[in-house]
Amino acid sequence: AVCTYFVYPLTCMFQCSYVESLGEEKSPPTWMVSHWWGCPFAQTVKMLQFHAAVRCFTQASFWICTLANNQHNLEELQGA
């Protein structure tokens, strides 16, 4: 639902990933997350907040695959 109703419509005009749509400044991830869509997205966010809290991160950059990958061109991931 997050990809269908949020990521895809917001990035459709530019055919880019959600992360790319946020700006041109690079934002290297602290952690890369592969999200299982059978888990509610809100629960994933809570888990990431817990992960950062127990590690005492004041700032952490989490890249979730659905937000970091270009949903309009998933073929670009082949061979990556």
Side-chain angles (χ1 to χ4, degrees):
V2 170
C3 185
T4 303
Y5 298 110
F6 178 73
V7 174
Y8 203 85
L10 288 175
T11 59
C12 193
M13 180 184 296
F14 297 106
Q15 300 286 297
C16 65
S17 72
Y18 179 74
V19 171
E20 291 171 311
S21 75
L22 297 177
E24 294 181 14
E25 186 176 322
K26 291 187 178 190
S27 177
T30 306
W31 300 94
M32 179 62 184
V33 178
S34 184
H35 177 263
W36 176 59
W37 289 111
C39 177
F41 190 69
Q43 187 174 352
T44 298
V45 171
K46 287 181 183 179
M47 180 274 306
L48 295 174
Q49 290 171 332
F50 174 77
H51 178 83
V54 297
R55 286 164 176 76
C56 300
F57 290 144
T58 55
Q59 287 191 339
S61 177
F62 292 97
W63 274 27
I64 299 174
C65 57
T66 299
L67 303 176
N69 295 334
N70 182 348
Q71 298 300 315
H72 306 280
N73 185 12
L74 292 174
E75 292 81 29
E76 70 184 15
L77 296 175
Q78 292 177 353

